[in-house]
Amino acid sequence: YPPAYHSTATEHRVVRGAWGALGPTTDWVRLRYSVVPDEAPSPLQRVAAVADFGNGISSALPFESHRFINPDLTVTLHRLPATDWVCLDAVTFPERHGIGVAESTLYDERGRIGHAAQTLLLETW
């Protein structure tokens, strides 16, 4: 496979579920590279980058027959992550009318830090 953001720019430690498998997934993620060249990623950059993985790691429909995009990402934090690793506990809820949502609870090594939600536009192909 060619280099890709999800596999090249990030490091993952899946503790529940699996990449490419259907169902909820819990994944610890760390950025491998800077968001801005020659600058260490800020805590907000780290958590925003990781929060965008929710819909991809917790698929509820097979990738072979469905496409989905997330036109938005809402991240609500009650504190910034204290470490480089951010955890997503993610689950996706698709609906037959073609819209769904991926919901993730966000953690760092000290505990819960917030929540992320992604609206999903679903298409069968």
Side-chain angles (χ1 to χ4, degrees), residues 60-101:
L61 300 167
F63 288 105
E64 299 80 23
S65 59
H66 293 80
R67 291 188 290 196
F68 54 90
I69 62 166
N70 59 295
D72 65 6
L73 171 63
T74 301
V75 180
T76 304
L77 301 174
H78 53 268
R79 68 177 174 84
L80 291 171
T83 63
D84 289 347
W85 288 94
V86 176
C87 179
L88 291 102
D89 188 11
V91 61
T92 295
F93 301 97
E95 295 293 336
R96 292 185 183 271
H97 55 68
I99 297 175
V101 65

